[in-house]
Amino acid sequence: MKRNKFFKVKNIKYFALIFIAVFGISCADLDQSFEDERYLTTTHFNEISAAGGTVGIEAIDGAILSYFRDGEGGEIEFGMKAIDLGMDLRSNDIDMSRSTWFGAWNRYDNTILTSGDNDFIWTFFYRIIKDANEVINLIPDTATDQNVIAFKHKAYAYRGIAYFYLLRMYQHTRASDSELSIPFNNGAELGSPKMPVGDVKKQILDDLTLAYEGLSNYSRPSVEIVDANVAAAYLARYHLTYENWSEAEKFADIAMKVGSLSTDVMHGFDEISLSETIWGAEVTATTSEVYQTFFSHISQINDGYSGWNHFKTVNSNLYNMIPDTDRRKQWFADQQYPSGVIIVPGTWTHYNITPKYTSLKFIAQPGPGVFIGDYIYLRNAEFYLTKAEALAKQGKEAEAQQVLFDLNTTRDDSYVKSTKTGQSLIDDFIIS
């Protein structure tokens, strides 16, 4: 893993370190006195933005990206990957061996107002929206500096992503546009009214479209940075969710062409350098939150929460659908292994048993007690499936079969192109 561009920002006092290490500005140049608070406030925002040029905006953008990575301070509040793991646990694909961390997600208990997990979801996304609003409002529409304009369009992407997650989590996907859903954050801390679903959907689409179009000529320095491809990926998700099939096909085609598919599916998904990565965050020994991390909670072969018998397991019905020739079947324990069996060479000696179906997909190297696996938010493989489904829904079944073939032959050398049509073909996408 390369040196991280962004320091872990958990306290505002660390902004001085960001300036020194990332932008080469001395404390004397800053002449700032930040309060000892955990998160960026409007006062801090204004003081940082006054540093001149793009320095302040870069610092704020870096802080937002760090927040996507780190989230809040709770044990299962490690940013975007905590949300993604929780949402997977709400599906039928992944189960838990016992009720422990993330159990409220698995049971849908965190939909009630007083749930701590519910508080994290709300705080996390509205914090992103608030800071994105600050950037958007700071940069005038008349700005001509392309570097400055790029930061504004990245902020549109952050805001659109946040509203998209919130709308899906707090209102039914098929709710009518007239039904109330979530509030807009227009700067007021309290009392913002709930907005109709249609208004929120329009805001999401407008934000992601502005981001995609505004970043179309922007060349990012690394996959840690949001660009037009990231916006396209979320536009593909948006249009698939709301069954706008031709638009889902269009944007999925863009996202699936970022990088390249890999035949190596046993690499642990802990490096943003992987060819399939569209967007992610590098994690280093400096920025890792150790046990409060994605790999601690998902990786059975590390001495984190999962390895301490908080196992995350694949649904047995789904496991049984995976052909034996598909390398992805090796992501899951094929039997119950006794205590002490080392499944992946070089990793820790298990404290406990490894039940059948336990997930072995994610491997944060190196070795026991070190959780420096990178966080991958988006991979191009997802959008092969998005495009295939969108094609099939439009009656373009031969094209859909080809896209599915292009994906699955990188995972299964024995895969034969599907000749299925209709719902049977779509069922193939769901389990691919």
Side-chain angles (χ1 to χ4, degrees), residues 4 8 21 25 33 68 79 135 138 145 160 207 231 248 250 252 273 286 292 298 307 316 325 338 370-371:
N4 197 351
K8 175 180 175 182
I25 298 176
S33 178
F68 266 108
V135 175
L138 175 71
D145 186 318
D207 281 348
K250 169 187 169 182
S273 60
T286 301
Q292 296 171 213
I298 194 64
S316 60
T325 54
V370 181
F371 301 93

Side-chain angles (χ1 to χ4, degrees), residues 296-359:
S296 171
H297 284 273
I298 194 64
S299 180
Q300 164 66 7
I301 57 151
N302 280 286
D303 67 337
Y305 287 111
S306 182
W308 295 339
N309 78 354
H310 299 186
F311 314 116
K312 309 298 188 299
T313 61
V314 65
N315 184 292
S316 60
N317 293 317
L318 177 58
Y319 176 85
N320 292 333
M321 292 179 185
I322 304 172
D324 291 339
T325 54
D326 192 321
R327 286 184 288 277
R328 291 173 296 178
K329 199 157 192 172
Q330 298 174 54
W331 285 345
F332 313 104
D334 60 348
Q335 59 184 290
Q336 178 164 303
Y337 291 90
S339 176
V341 173
I342 302 175
I343 299 175
V344 178
T347 56
W348 74 307
T349 301
H350 294 204
Y351 294 164
N352 295 294
I353 62 171
T354 300
K356 187 176 181 179
Y357 308 121
T358 296
S359 174

Side-chain angles (χ1 to χ4, degrees), residues 78-235:
F78 42 89
M80 181 67 89
K81 293 305 291 182
I83 298 289
D84 288 341
L85 177 55
M87 291 184 75
D88 279 344
L89 283 162
R90 286 184 174 184
S91 73
N92 295 319
D93 297 340
I94 183 171
D95 296 322
M96 295 180 65
S97 63
R98 57 193 288 247
S99 182
T100 178
W101 296 117
F102 282 100
W105 288 87
N106 197 221
R107 300 186 305 271
Y108 274 77
D109 288 348
N110 62 351
T111 58
I112 61 174
L113 182 63
T114 56
S115 167
D117 292 340
N118 182 65
D119 178 71
F120 164 60
I121 296 166
W122 200 261
T123 299
F124 179 71
F125 286 116
Y126 276 108
R127 170 64 59 178
I128 290 168
I129 291 166
K130 177 181 181 296
D131 291 347
N133 281 340
E134 296 281 12
V135 175
I136 291 166
N137 295 333
L138 175 71
I139 301 171
D141 293 334
T142 55
T144 58
D145 186 318
Q146 292 303 309
N147 291 325
V148 172
I149 293 170
F151 283 113
K152 183 163 187 167
H153 288 102
K154 291 177 198 178
Y156 283 127
Y158 304 145
R159 190 171 72 181
I161 292 166
Y163 277 130
F164 185 38
Y165 270 88
L166 286 166
L167 181 59
R168 289 179 296 163
M169 298 177 85
Y170 290 105
Q171 184 51 277
H172 296 292
T173 302
R174 296 185 181 275
S176 71
D177 284 356
S178 62
E179 290 190 49
L180 294 178
S181 57
I182 58 172
F184 283 146
N185 183 341
N186 296 316
E189 293 296 326
L190 298 170
S192 299
K194 291 182 179 180
M195 301 301 293
V197 168
D199 289 3
V200 182
K201 286 166 63 176
K202 182 179 184 305
Q203 183 71 62
I204 296 164
L205 186 56
D206 286 350
D207 281 348
L208 293 176
T209 301
L210 282 167
Y212 174 72
E213 293 175 348
L215 296 170
S216 59
N217 295 318
Y218 171 73
S219 180
R220 61 181 174 177
S222 79
V223 294
E224 291 186 88
I225 308 302
V226 166
D227 68 353
N229 293 318
V230 174
Y234 281 103
L235 280 165

